[in-house]
Amino acid sequence: MASSKDYLEFILGQLCELNDISYRAMMGEFILYYKGKIVGGIYDDRLLVKPLPYDGAKEMLLVDDVDNKDYLTGLFDAMYDELPNQKPKKKR
């Protein structure tokens, strides 16, 4: 099941106090970025974030408390320094 734009907009609204939140649509789901780093994504209308510390695993953790704006912004801020930087894209 693909995630809805309405749920994406709700989550983006909850994170509106953070600067530099962006997303990319990918196969009906949404990858979330914070200051250029992948923080998690929206899958089946659920917010999932990367586990910390990050060991290269693709497993993600479900965030149940998406209605708590302060919790979400604090979570993203706390995670940022622990997330790996994006790998540079290879030139073709």
Side-chain angles (χ1 to χ4, degrees), residues 18 34-35 71-82:
L18 296 175
Y34 179 42
K35 298 181 184 176
Y71 172 76
L72 280 183
T73 56
L75 175 65
F76 276 51
D77 270 333
M79 291 178 63
Y80 179 76
D81 287 336
E82 299 296 325

Side-chain angles (χ1 to χ4, degrees), residues 23-79:
Y23 70 92
R24 180 182 303 172
M26 186 170 292
M27 299 186 321
E29 308 298 350
F30 303 98
I31 308 297
L32 296 176
Y33 297 85
Y34 179 42
K35 298 181 184 176
K37 294 182 179 181
I38 296 174
V39 176
I42 297 174
Y43 305 93
D44 296 328
D45 284 340
R46 298 175 306 151
L47 175 61
L48 300 171
V49 295
K50 291 186 172 253
L52 297 176
Y54 184 78
D55 291 324
K58 294 185 180 185
E59 180 182 327
M60 291 204 203
L61 305 171
L62 176 63
V63 178
D64 287 328
D65 199 5
V66 295
D67 292 323
N68 186 335
K69 195 175 201 175
D70 292 334
Y71 172 76
L72 280 183
T73 56
L75 175 65
F76 276 51
D77 270 333
M79 291 178 63

Side-chain angles (χ1 to χ4, degrees), residues 4 6 13 18 20 25-26 36 43 46 54 80 83 88-90 92:
S4 69
D6 289 339
L18 296 175
D20 206 10
M26 186 170 292
Y43 305 93
R46 298 175 306 151
Y54 184 78
Y80 179 76
L83 294 169
K89 293 184 179 183
K90 296 180 181 178
R92 294 181 184 191

